[in-house]
């Protein structure tokens, strides 16, 4: 027992009897009767917590009378909920027994109620700890792609965003500590996410009710990157990492540290990454025909896939008895090549001819928590952020196109005391984004998007049933006073007639659109037998279309298309004009069914989902072509079915709406064979189709695989095998992608150096050197996955 626990028990013994009523002491054991150290005992609906000491004991004081729900958690064990009634005339002593869980149970942060993969009515996933460090990559989508239900839109390793159950782009909200990351990654696949995994504590993927606290636009889900930039305690701790990867000569260095005094806490992190063009096991005939591949000593590389990134974060907070308040400033810089985006010239590796992106972001976050001794409220959470983002595309040694995004955001969560045993609260959310693109490839006009929202989220236990409710009402305004409608010479490739003499004239519009999305969600979890539960979640979510979906009009070289927004349409005379169709909200009607085994040597999570999205915004191929404004000698490599050599033209794609259906499953099994050896099996699948027939483009294929893990106090070894099946359900002008198998392995060994914990590791990826093309990638024909690679690294903890 710690000195603190001993002191609490000694004081409790000296107090009069009426004070003892508010004290509970206990011990946490596992199913073998051994003590569990560092287990957390929390009183639901409050900030009251205790951590077990070396003897597995804990003490909680100052409890009010009435029914209390205790939540007990510990790494490697299933969570335990226990209801205890406290009266005014006695204290209590209790023993909690935790059961082992082969599937790690980690709580989602920044939500008003406890949500985890084993407890919530809707599916959630968390990547943290050693698993996060083992899977982290230079881009967010590539870091998360091994999670069930999550894929990457792999853009030649220089950029990627997550695809959740077939949905991506503006339908997946990416946040940092609950606030919008505020980049332009959802505008185009060649735009990198301005967030770093190497300094993160955990990365969360949410669907269902929890997304309502972030924004109505997240009908596909929310990816929340969590770090400790505004520290909530002053314990001195940290980690550092050095790594080298063979496939692209990548070098990575990162660290994060927290320290402080009783009243003030300080945080710092930094990272640096540099990589050359990456090697691929591409077929020789393709490499010789495709100038986007360069041969070096028998190995082929994807030209212009190099990158250099660095950044740092400084944060501080004031700690007091009722909570904390703090501020953090981050500077994030990234320069990376854009493969497939060159403007003429034979040497695509030339620094003068290659096109690359220069990303620069400054982010300020203010976070706070205040715990109240109030009849109605028990906690107020404050999150505020300011982001200044700039993404410049450099061509011919000069800035060609610049994307800017300046965002202000404020979120206040009011968490109430348990009311008739309901736990939850209200969230008030304001966000204002000012986005501007300038240059030859600025395919969206400058615009301002403003939203006000109020959201409610509640949960309550009814015996063996847990009920979760959520709702959100939002007001979204889009203003753009310089919307351009060029009178372009759009024509079919077989058109040999005389083109429009008036091509080039541009009309200008002032556009203001207002939307009121309303989203509702309800779910229930039934613990129908010991260690088993069933979850059902039903939601109806509305989303306002994004600026790029509405107002685009111009060449988008990242996708190899000439994009036209839904505000416009092709008239009978063959020219583009304003659309006569109403601009509707996109509405997703989703049902999720989950079956889980939560504890024991065998655990599993089986999810099945059905999602009908009405007024789904997507692009159709008009069959027309338009001048890009550049000589893109490589555009025939994009997957749009163009077999003609019209090097300066791009296919015209128009945003339209239609009703679509997405359904599929995720399956995860874990078997703890011994204390050291564990086997994981997984699979996921999504079928994405138009309601009236036809397939949506770039839908990830069926995949399945296994992971074998061996873990002791010093040694950790993992063998990961994933099979991606052929994807032949394709949209018009889209090609089939062959199936492939990926074999990855890693081993690490822990040792102590100068009284510091150090881990040395070796990680191998694509060990069979398989040619693997990602079907959801716009660059699958010119940029397959990297070939065989080995990463050697060392990581330290303090």
């Amino acid at each position: 027992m710690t000195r603190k626990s001993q002191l609490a028990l000694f004081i409790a013994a000296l107090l009069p009897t009426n004070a003892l009523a508010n004290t509970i002491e206990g011990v946490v054991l596992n199913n073998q009767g051994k003590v569990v150290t560092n287990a957390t005992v929390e009183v639901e609906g409050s900030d009251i917590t205790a951590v077990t000491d070396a003897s597995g004991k804990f003490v909680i004081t100052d409890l009010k009378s009435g029914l209390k729900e205790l939540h007990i958690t510990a790494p490697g064990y299933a969570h335990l909920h226990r209801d205890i009634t406290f009266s005014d005339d006695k204290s209590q002593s209790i023993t909690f027994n935790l059961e082992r869980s082969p599937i790690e149970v980690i709580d989602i942060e920044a939500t008003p109620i406890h949500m985890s993969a084993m407890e919530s009515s809707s599916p959630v996933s968390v990547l943290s700890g050693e698993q996060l460090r083992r899977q982290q990559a230079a881009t967010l989508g590539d870091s998360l792609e091994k999670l069930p239900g999550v894929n990457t839109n792999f853009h030649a390793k220089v950029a990627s965003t997550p695809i959740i159950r077939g949905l991506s782009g503006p339908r997946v909200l990416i946040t940092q500590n609950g606030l919008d990351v505020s980049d332009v990654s959802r505008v185009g696949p060649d735009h990198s996410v301005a967030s770093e995994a190497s300094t993160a504590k955990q990365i969360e993927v949410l669907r269902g009710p929890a997304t309502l606290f972030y924004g109505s636009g997240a009908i596909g889900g929310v990816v929340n990157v969590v770090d400790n930039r505004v520290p909530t305690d002053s314990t001195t701790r940290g980690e550092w990492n050095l790594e080298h990867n063979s496939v692209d000569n990548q070098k990575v260095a990162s660290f994060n540290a927290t320290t402080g005094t009783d009243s003030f806490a300080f945080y710092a992190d930094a990272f640096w990454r540099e990589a050359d063009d990456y090697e691929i096991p591409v077929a020789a005939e393709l490499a010789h025909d495709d100038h986007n591949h360069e041969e070096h000593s028998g190995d082929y590389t994807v030209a212009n896939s190099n990158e250099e990134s660095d950044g740092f974060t400084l944060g501080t907070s004031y700690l007091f008895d009722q909570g904390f308040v703090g501020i953090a400033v981050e500077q994030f810089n990234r320069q990376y090549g854009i493969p497939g985006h060159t403007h003429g010239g034979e040497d695509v590796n030339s620094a003068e001819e290659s096109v690359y992106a220069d990303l620069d972001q400054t982010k300020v976050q203010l976070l706070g928590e205040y715990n109240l001794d109030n009849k109605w409220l028990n906690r107020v959470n404050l999150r505020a952020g300011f982001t200044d983002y700039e993404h410049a595309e450099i061509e011919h040694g000069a800035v060609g196109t610049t994307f800017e995004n300046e965002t202000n955001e404020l979120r206040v969560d009011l968490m109430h005391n348990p009311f008739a045993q309901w736990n939850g609260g209200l969230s008030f959310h304001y966000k204002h984004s000012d986005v501007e693109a300038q240059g030859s490839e600025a395919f969206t006009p400058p615009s301002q998007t403003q939203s006000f929202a109020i959201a409610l989220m509640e949960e309550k236990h009814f015996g063996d049933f847990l009920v979760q409710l959520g709702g959100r009402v939002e007001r979204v305004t889009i203003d753009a006073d310089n919307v351009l409608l060029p009178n372009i010479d759009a024509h079919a490739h077989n058109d040999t007639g005389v083109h429009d003499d008036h091509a080039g004239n541009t009309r200008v519009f002032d556009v203001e659109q207002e939307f009121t999305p309303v989203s509702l969600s309800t779910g229930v979890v039934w613990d129908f037998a010991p260690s088993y539960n069933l979850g059902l979640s039903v939601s109806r979510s509305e989303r306002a279309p994004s600026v790029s979906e509405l107002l685009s009009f111009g060449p988008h070289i990242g996708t190899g298309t000439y994009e036209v927004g839904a505000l416009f349409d092709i008239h009978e005379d063959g020219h583009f004009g304003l659309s006569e169709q109403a601009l509707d909200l996109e509405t997703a009607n989703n049902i999720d069914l989950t079956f889980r085994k939560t504890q024991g040597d065998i655990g599993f999570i089986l999810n099945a989902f059905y999602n009908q999205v009405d007024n789904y915004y997507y692009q159709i191929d008009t069959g027309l072509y338009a001048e890009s404004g550049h000589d893109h000698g490589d555009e025939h490599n994009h997957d749009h079915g163009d077999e003609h050599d019209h090097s300066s033209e791009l296919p015209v794609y128009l945003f339209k709406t239609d009703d679509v259906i997405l359904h599929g499953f995720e399956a995860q099994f874990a078997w703890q064979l011994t204390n050291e050896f564990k086997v994981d099996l997984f699979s996921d699948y999504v079928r994405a189709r138009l309601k009236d027939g036809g397939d949506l483009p770039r839908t990830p294929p069926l995949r399945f695989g296994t992971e074998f893990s061996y873990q002791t106090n010093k040694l950790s070894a993992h063998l990961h095998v994933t099979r991606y099946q052929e994807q032949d359900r394709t949209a018009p002008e889209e090609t089939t992608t062959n199936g492939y198998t990926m074999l990855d392995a890693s081993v690490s060994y822990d040792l102590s150096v100068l009284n510091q914990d150090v881990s040395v590791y070796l990680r191998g990826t694509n060990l069979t050197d398989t040619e693997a093309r990602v079907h959801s990638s716009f660059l699958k024909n010119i940029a397959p996955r990297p070939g065989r690679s080995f990463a050697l690294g060392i990581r330290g903890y303090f």
Side-chain angles (χ1 to χ4, degrees):
M1 185 180 296
T2 64
R3 292 183 179 179
K4 186 175 180 180
S5 300
Q6 292 173 342
L7 179 61
L9 289 175
F10 177 74
I11 294 174
L14 298 179
L15 291 174
T17 303
N18 59 353
L20 291 175
N22 296 333
T23 301
I24 179 174
E25 59 179 281
V27 62
V28 179
L29 307 174
N30 62 19
N31 57 353
Q32 298 175 338
K34 297 181 180 180
V35 300
V36 179
T37 61
N38 294 319
T40 300
V41 182
E42 179 181 1
V43 181
E44 290 277 18
S46 75
D47 66 323
I48 301 175
T49 62
V51 178
T52 58
D53 58 20
S55 302
K57 296 181 179 179
F58 70 92
V59 176
I60 297 178
T61 59
D62 298 328
L63 285 170
K64 296 180 180 180
S65 300
L67 178 66
K68 305 296 181 183
E69 180 184 342
L70 301 185
H71 184 211
I72 303 93
T73 63
Y77 293 93
H79 290 196
L80 178 65
H81 294 266
R82 183 72 61 83
D83 289 338
I84 299 179
T85 301
F86 294 90
S87 59
D88 293 333
D89 55 358
K90 60 181 180 181
S91 62
Q92 295 197 36
S93 179
I94 194 167
T95 298
F96 297 116
N97 294 97
L98 298 182
E99 296 284 341
R100 182 162 64 179
S101 173
I103 298 177
E104 189 70 25
V105 185
I106 304 170
D107 272 337
I108 296 288
E109 295 196 8
T111 55
I113 60 179
H114 283 116
M115 299 192 72
S116 70
M118 289 298 195
E119 296 173 298
S120 58
S121 59
S122 56
V124 297
S125 304
V126 179
L127 193 62
S128 68
E130 183 193 353
Q131 185 185 14
L132 171 59
R133 296 295 173 245
R134 197 166 63 243
Q135 297 181 15
Q136 71 187 33
T139 59
L140 184 62
D142 295 350
S143 297
L144 297 175
E145 68 165 328
K146 289 184 178 179
L147 291 176
V150 183
N151 286 267
T152 176
N153 72 343
F154 182 81
H155 200 79
K157 207 178 71 63
V158 297
S160 71
T161 55
I163 300 173
I164 300 177
R165 294 179 168 180
L167 298 176
S168 61
R171 298 174 182 87
V172 174
L173 179 64
I174 301 173
T175 63
Q176 185 99 29
N177 299 312
L179 296 172
D180 196 337
V181 73
S182 299
D183 52 25
V184 293
S185 61
R186 282 160 280 179
V187 174
D190 56 330
H191 297 167
S192 179
V193 178
S195 185
E196 177 61 27
S198 66
T199 55
K201 180 174 67 174
Q202 67 185 47
I203 304 177
E204 308 164 346
V205 179
L206 304 88
R207 274 96 63 186
T211 64
L212 300 176
F213 258 59
Y214 292 87
S216 63
I219 67 172
V222 172
V223 175
N224 185 36
V225 181
V226 180
D227 58 28
N228 198 39
R229 64 180 56 195
V230 175
T232 59
D233 64 79
S234 57
T235 303
T236 299
R237 63 186 180 277
E239 65 174 307
W240 53 268
N241 184 61
L242 299 172
E243 179 180 304
H244 179 269
N245 196 309
S246 63
V247 77
D248 55 0
N249 194 30
Q250 177 179 262
K251 297 171 283 290
V252 180
S254 64
F255 88 93
N256 64 80
T258 304
T259 190
T261 65
D262 289 341
S263 298
F264 292 94
F266 304 96
Y267 173 85
D269 73 36
F271 78 96
W272 170 80
R273 180 187 298 104
E274 184 178 79
D276 299 332
D277 295 346
Y278 72 88
E279 298 175 358
I280 53 174
V282 69
E285 61 271 14
L286 176 58
H288 290 307
D289 291 340
D290 189 346
H291 69 253
N292 280 283
H293 298 138
E294 188 81 1
E295 185 175 4
H296 299 284
S297 302
D299 294 323
Y300 296 105
T301 63
V302 174
N304 209 26
S305 61
N306 55 80
E307 66 118 346
E308 183 173 348
S309 305
D310 62 80
F312 68 88
T313 306
L314 298 175
T316 185
S317 58
Y318 174 64
L319 311 175
F320 50 95
D321 291 340
Q322 292 79 25
F324 73 93
V325 62
I327 191 171
V329 179
E330 176 194 20
Q331 181 62 44
F332 183 93
N333 309 298
R334 193 158 192 256
Q335 291 186 350
Y336 60 94
I338 305 179
H341 188 164
T342 55
H343 300 317
E346 292 297 326
D347 184 6
V348 295
N349 282 317
S350 167
E352 183 178 353
E353 297 296 340
S354 296
V355 178
Y356 69 93
D358 187 355
L359 187 160
D360 182 3
Q361 177 174 272
T362 302
K363 182 187 295 290
V364 180
Q365 288 192 341
L366 174 67
L367 308 179
E369 177 182 302
Y370 190 82
N371 297 285
L372 303 170
D373 186 12
N374 183 278
K375 181 179 179 181
W376 302 106
L377 298 179
N378 64 48
R379 188 170 74 253
V380 177
N381 295 329
L382 170 67
R383 299 175 188 271
F386 167 77
T387 303
D388 186 7
Y389 172 95
E390 181 176 297
H391 170 112
E393 294 187 357
I394 314 297
E395 49 187 298
H396 303 293
V399 176
T401 305
T402 301
F403 299 87
E404 297 179 348
N405 185 1
E406 187 173 292
T407 300
N408 295 282
E409 188 172 9
L410 174 66
R411 206 178 90 195
V412 179
D413 301 335
L414 304 178
M415 315 312 300
H416 62 74
N417 285 312
F419 178 75
Q421 301 180 37
W422 284 95
N423 291 312
L426 277 173
S427 178
F428 298 90
H429 192 185
Y430 166 78
K431 182 164 60 176
H432 180 275
S433 295
D434 190 345
V435 180
E436 183 174 356
Q438 295 181 340
S440 58
E441 294 170 10
F443 58 94
T444 58
S447 64
Q448 294 186 1
T449 303
Q450 184 171 263
S451 64
F452 296 89
I454 181 171
L456 172 70
M457 190 172 179
E458 299 286 338
E459 74 168 13
K460 179 179 179 178
H461 284 276
F462 294 88
D464 293 332
F465 293 88
L466 169 66
V467 176
Q468 295 179 327
L469 304 174
R472 182 183 180 96
V473 180
E474 192 165 359
R475 185 67 168 174
V476 180
T477 303
I478 298 175
D479 290 316
D481 57 8
N482 192 33
V483 178
L484 303 181
L485 174 56
N487 189 8
I488 62 173
D489 177 19
H491 56 275
H493 268 174
N494 59 1
D495 182 6
T496 59
V498 179
H499 300 313
D500 186 0
D501 293 334
H502 300 287
N505 296 330
T506 300
R507 286 175 284 173
V508 181
F509 297 91
D510 185 355
V511 174
E512 180 176 343
Q513 293 287 330
E514 292 187 349
F515 303 92
T516 307
V518 178
S519 300
L520 300 171
S521 179
T522 182
V524 61
V525 181
W526 177 29
D527 295 316
F528 65 92
S531 305
Y532 293 89
N533 68 41
L534 277 173
L536 176 66
S537 176
V538 180
S539 63
R540 178 180 174 85
S541 304
E542 294 182 330
R543 180 184 76 91
S546 67
V547 171
S548 60
E549 291 170 321
L550 286 183
L551 309 180
S552 295
F553 208 113
H556 187 179
I557 309 305
T559 61
T561 61
Y562 196 103
E563 290 194 1
V564 179
L567 184 68
F568 311 106
D569 203 349
I570 303 176
H571 291 174
E572 292 181 358
D573 59 3
H575 293 85
F576 283 95
L578 293 178
S579 174
E580 298 179 357
Q581 295 184 350
L583 299 175
D584 295 324
L585 290 166
E586 188 175 273
T587 304
N589 301 282
N590 187 81
I591 182 168
D592 259 284
L593 182 63
T594 305
F595 177 39
R596 292 174 284 217
K597 186 177 186 298
T598 60
Q599 55 196 35
D601 292 332
I602 296 177
F604 58 76
I605 305 174
L606 305 176
N607 298 321
F609 64 91
Y610 183 92
N611 189 9
Q612 178 176 315
V613 185
D614 298 333
N615 300 314
Y616 181 91
Y617 285 83
Y618 73 110
Q619 292 173 300
I620 63 168
D621 187 353
T622 63
L624 303 177
Y625 289 79
E627 293 289 335
S628 66
H630 290 285
D631 181 18
H632 290 85
D634 60 300
E635 290 308 325
H636 63 279
N637 294 308
H638 291 280
D639 190 19
H640 297 295
D642 177 19
E643 298 181 358
H644 302 275
D645 186 14
H646 297 261
S647 58
S648 63
E649 295 180 341
L650 296 176
V652 177
Y653 274 66
L654 175 65
F655 275 99
K656 301 289 283 186
T657 61
D658 210 334
D659 297 342
V660 305
I661 294 175
L662 304 99
H663 57 88
F665 68 85
E666 298 121 14
Q668 183 180 3
F669 293 84
W671 184 11
Q672 191 78 47
L673 292 170
T674 67
N675 288 332
E676 296 80 20
F677 190 66
K678 187 174 76 167
V679 177
D680 289 275
L681 302 172
F682 60 92
S683 181
D684 58 22
Y685 172 74
V686 59
R687 175 81 167 92
R689 58 187 174 87
L690 297 174
K691 188 176 180 180
D692 296 330
D695 298 292
L696 291 181
R698 292 175 295 281
T699 300
L702 168 69
R703 64 176 178 174
F704 50 87
T706 185
E707 183 177 57
F708 302 93
S709 303
Y710 181 81
Q711 184 118 24
T712 66
N713 291 334
K714 296 289 186 180
L715 180 67
S716 176
H718 303 268
L719 180 66
H720 196 283
V721 183
T722 305
R723 173 64 185 177
Y724 292 79
Q725 292 293 87
E726 177 189 44
Q727 180 57 287
D728 56 4
R729 295 183 181 274
T730 57
E733 308 300 331
E734 186 183 19
T735 58
T736 298
T737 303
N738 294 329
Y740 56 90
T741 301
M742 299 292 290
L743 176 63
D744 305 330
S746 66
V747 60
S748 65
Y749 187 79
D750 298 338
L751 60 156
S752 180
V753 178
L754 301 176
N755 294 323
Q756 186 179 50
D757 294 329
V758 173
S759 178
V760 180
Y761 62 90
L762 176 65
R763 184 173 64 251
T765 306
N766 193 7
L767 295 177
T768 56
D769 207 28
T770 297
E771 182 181 331
R773 301 185 183 275
V774 181
H775 184 77
S776 52
S777 172
F778 278 91
L779 296 182
K780 73 172 185 177
N781 286 345
I782 66 172
R785 291 181 184 271
R788 182 186 296 112
S789 67
F790 295 96
L792 178 65
I794 182 171
R795 182 177 295 113
Y797 303 89
F798 58 90

